[in-house]
Amino acid sequence: MTRSRVRRTPDEARRLILDAAESLLVEGGVAAVQVRAVATRVGMTDAGVNHHFGTREGLLEALLRHGGKKIHAGAQEVLGAWLDRGADLAELVDVLAKFYRQGYGELGVALHAAGWRDEGSGMLNPVVEALHALRPDAADTPIDDTRLAVAALHQALATESLYGPAFRRSAGLTGRKATSPAPQLRWWTTHLTRALGLQ
């Protein structure tokens, strides 16, 4: 018995493929995002996946851009409520960290290690703008100072899942202090609050 082919629009097929790839990324990291596994989840052939993305590398790049859009949209959504609740920086750091823990930090590092470079910019602009507006010295401080602070946080969050425990062990931390990201996130929150002059 043969299955009948499901006709999808190209946009619908790409969305389903990216959703399946994202699920695999969350479940098993970058290594789990294989064309055959994605094709199986979506109910199409490997050639069907490759038709939309060219190669596995093309799929991974599209997945990273997909994640970047989700982080951008999620940050914008969170920022409104976050500002209404008193702009607790720890809450914002935790929300951003959650996105990276879904495999996007590992994916970004893996693609960069393979030579891919993102030419886009501004994914975290909503965060930069919100934090800069909260600075008591915002009128006298170039926004690039705030951009550098957010870039440092972004770098730390993106690499946490891959290197966080090893880096903390290299500094002499052991046990839960080495394996749990929570103390490191609190450290970032405290020092960003001071660096930006936030209350």
Side-chain angles (χ1 to χ4, degrees), residues 87-151:
D88 176 10
L89 189 57
E91 180 184 357
L92 182 62
V93 169
D94 285 343
V95 166
L96 292 173
K98 180 182 175 189
F99 284 113
Y100 292 100
R101 279 194 303 269
Q102 293 173 342
Y104 285 107
E106 179 188 354
L107 178 57
V109 170
L111 285 173
H112 275 267
W116 176 81
R117 296 297 178 261
D118 183 10
E119 300 302 324
S121 66
M123 175 181 76
L124 293 176
N125 269 345
V127 174
V128 170
E129 291 163 5
L131 289 177
H132 195 71
L134 292 172
R135 294 184 73 163
D137 61 352
D140 301 320
T141 304
I143 195 166
D144 281 353
D145 188 69
T146 306
R147 288 188 198 288
L148 289 170
V150 172

Side-chain angles (χ1 to χ4, degrees), residues 12-13 45 51 60 62 71 79 86 98 102 106-109 127 129 138 152 164 173 181 184 188-189:
E12 181 185 12
T45 64
H51 170 75
L60 291 175
I71 291 170
L79 285 171
K98 180 182 175 189
Q102 293 173 342
E106 179 188 354
L107 178 57
V109 170
V127 174
E129 291 163 5
L173 294 169
Q184 190 84 63
W188 270 106
T189 300

Side-chain angles (χ1 to χ4, degrees), residues 175-191:
R176 182 131 175 85
K177 289 179 182 176
T179 58
S180 171
Q184 190 84 63
L185 293 179
R186 283 194 302 273
W187 184 92
W188 270 106
T189 300
T190 299
H191 289 278

